[in-house]
C-alpha cells in the first residue's frame, strides 16, 4: 500500500496544536483541500472538499487509549492519516503517516503536497492561537 | 470504567489555577494533551474544557486579555457542540429523558453557563 511520512515543527506548545488537531470543525482552517466540515458524533464527521460543497465525504477521527496518536480515516477514499504530537523544547513536533489504498495510488504525489502545506499551516496557526 | 486521565489532569489543573498556582496548572494542561486519549475521553469536549482551564490560568496570572481570549475560545467550542447535539437525531431520547441536550456524558449548555459565570467573575468582557 502506498504510504509516506512527513513532519513539521511548530513554535507553538503541544496544547495549541492539539486543540486544532482534535477538533474536526477546525480542519478547514489548516487542512488544505477541506472546504467545510459537519461534525456528527463520536468522531464521525462529514468533509466537503474545497469547491465541492455538494460532495459529502464521511470521515472518522479515532483516538485509542494506549496510543498517543489521532487517526483520521476517509470512509470514501480509504485514505488514512495518523497524527502524532511530541514536545520539542517549548514547541511541538508534528508527524503524520499517510496510507493510500492501491486504487488511489495515483493521488500519492498530490497527497504529499497537500500534507506538506497542511502541516505548515497547522504549525503556523497553532503559533498564533 | 477506566478513569479518564485527561479529564483528571484538567481537574487538577483547574484546582491549581483556582488555588493561585498558574504555573503548576499550566504544566498539568501540557500533560493533559500528552496523555493517550480514547473515545471514552470524549476528545471533542476536551478541547473547550482545556480552553476554559487555560482561561482560569490566565485569571490566576492576572492576564485579563488572555483570560477573555481563552474563555471566548471555550464558549465557541461549547456552542459548536451544543449546536451539534441539538441537531442530532440520536440525542432525542436523551433530551426526552433529561430535558436537555447532551453530547455523550457532557452537557454543553451547563458547560456554557459555567464559562459565562467565570467570565463574569473574572471581570472580562
Amino acid at each position: 500500500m502506498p504510504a509516506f511520512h512527513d513532519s513539521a515543527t511548530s513554535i507553538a506548545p503541544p496544547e495549541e496544536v492539539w486543540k486544532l488537531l482534535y477538533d474536526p470543525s477546525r480542519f478547514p482552517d489548516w487542512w488544505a483541500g477541506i472546504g467545510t466540515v459537519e461534525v456528527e458524533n463520536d468522531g464521525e464527521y462529514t468533509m466537503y472538499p474545497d469547491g465541492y460543497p455538494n460532495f459529502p465525504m464521511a470521515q472518522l477521527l479515532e483516538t485509542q487509549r494506549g496510543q498517543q496518536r489521532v487517526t483520521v480515516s476517509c470512509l470514501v477514499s480509504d485514505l488514512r492519516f495518523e497524527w502524532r504530537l511530541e514536545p520539542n523544547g517549548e514547541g511541538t513536533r508534528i508527524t503524520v503517516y499517510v496510507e493510500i489504498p492501491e486504487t488511489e495510488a495515483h493521488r500519492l504525489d498530490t497527497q504529499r503536497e497537500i500534507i506538506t502545506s497542511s502541516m505548515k499551516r497547522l504549525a503556523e496557526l497553532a503559533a498564533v492561537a | 470504567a477506566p478513569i479518564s486521565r485527561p479529564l483528571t489532569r484538567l481537574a487538577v489543573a483547574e484546582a491549581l489555577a483556582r488555588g493561585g498556582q498558574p504555573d503548576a496548572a499550566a504544566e498539568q494542561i501540557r500533560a493533559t494533551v500528552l496523555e493517550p486519549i480514547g473515545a471514552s475521553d470524549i476528545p471533542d469536549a476536551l478541547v473547550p474544557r482545556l480552553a476554559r482551564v487555560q482561561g482560569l490560568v490566565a485569571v490566576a496570572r492576572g492576564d485579563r486579555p488572555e483570560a477573555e481570549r481563552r474563555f471566548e475560545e471555550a464558549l465557541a467550542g461549547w456552542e459548536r457542540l451544543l449546536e451539534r447535539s441539538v441537531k442530532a437525531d440520536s440525542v432525542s431520547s436523551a433530551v426526552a429523558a433529561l430535558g436537555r441536550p447532551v453530547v455523550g456524558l457532557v452537557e454543553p449548555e451547563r458547560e456554557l453557563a459555567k464559562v459565562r459565570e467565570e467570565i463574569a467573575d473574572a471581570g472580562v468582557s
Side-chain angles (χ1 to χ4, degrees):
Chain A
M1 176 178 286
F4 65 91
H5 286 95
D6 201 349
S7 64
T9 302
S10 177
I11 60 171
E15 55 269 24
E16 298 308 324
V17 185
W18 184 91
K19 284 188 288 184
L20 292 168
L21 196 55
Y22 277 75
D23 185 354
S25 69
R26 301 297 309 275
F27 286 179
D29 295 338
W30 59 270
W31 198 321
I34 293 181
T36 57
V37 162
E38 287 178 0
V39 182
E40 281 94 48
N41 51 46
D42 294 339
E44 297 171 351
Y45 66 99
T46 301
M47 182 270 284
Y48 296 81
D50 247 341
Y52 296 91
N54 298 314
F55 194 83
M57 300 183 75
Q59 315 280 308
L60 185 63
L61 186 148
E62 296 175 283
T63 54
Q64 294 174 303
R65 285 195 171 193
Q67 296 182 15
Q68 286 176 305
R69 68 178 183 217
V70 58
T71 303
V72 174
S73 304
C74 178
L75 304 181
V76 175
S77 65
D78 289 331
L79 268 68
R80 184 180 156 91
F81 307 84
E82 288 181 7
W83 296 87
R84 289 180 190 265
L85 302 178
E86 298 168 279
N88 183 39
E90 288 302 309
T92 309
R93 180 170 172 79
I94 309 163
T95 58
V96 66
Y97 173 68
V98 182
E99 282 185 349
I100 300 179
E102 286 292 345
T103 52
E104 301 281 338
H106 59 281
R107 299 172 62 185
L108 183 63
D109 289 342
T110 302
Q111 279 299 318
R112 281 188 195 274
E113 290 170 10
I114 287 173
I115 288 299
T116 297
S117 69
S118 300
M119 294 188 81
K120 181 170 182 285
R121 181 66 189 134
L122 174 61
E124 290 170 350
L125 188 61
V128 299
Chain B
I3 293 171
S4 171
R5 291 174 62 92
L7 280 175
T8 302
R9 285 213 184 263
L10 279 182
V12 171
E14 177 171 353
L16 288 167
R18 292 188 185 282
Q21 299 183 61
D23 291 345
E27 285 177 16
Q28 287 298 317
I29 290 172
R30 176 69 54 85
T32 298
V33 306
L34 298 177
E35 288 282 356
I37 291 173
S40 59
D41 297 311
I42 313 178
D44 50 0
L46 276 177
V47 172
R49 283 190 197 282
L50 191 140
R52 174 183 156 267
V53 178
Q54 286 180 311
L56 293 173
V57 170
V59 169
R61 287 180 170 149
D63 187 343
R64 279 190 176 184
E66 177 70 0
E68 179 179 353
R69 196 166 73 83
R70 294 302 187 181
F71 285 143
E72 289 295 330
E73 185 183 344
L75 282 178
W78 285 120
E79 282 166 355
R80 282 195 294 271
L81 281 169
L82 179 60
E83 186 183 332
R84 191 181 97 203
S85 67
V86 167
K87 280 184 191 173
D89 290 339
S90 62
V91 151
S92 59
S93 58
V95 172
L98 298 171
R100 57 191 183 276
V102 294
V103 174
L105 299 175
V106 177
E107 296 176 79
E109 283 183 340
R110 179 174 289 188
E111 298 295 335
L112 271 168
K114 199 189 306 186
V115 178
R116 289 183 179 127
E117 278 176 22
E118 280 153 0
I119 288 173
D121 288 345
V124 298
S125 58

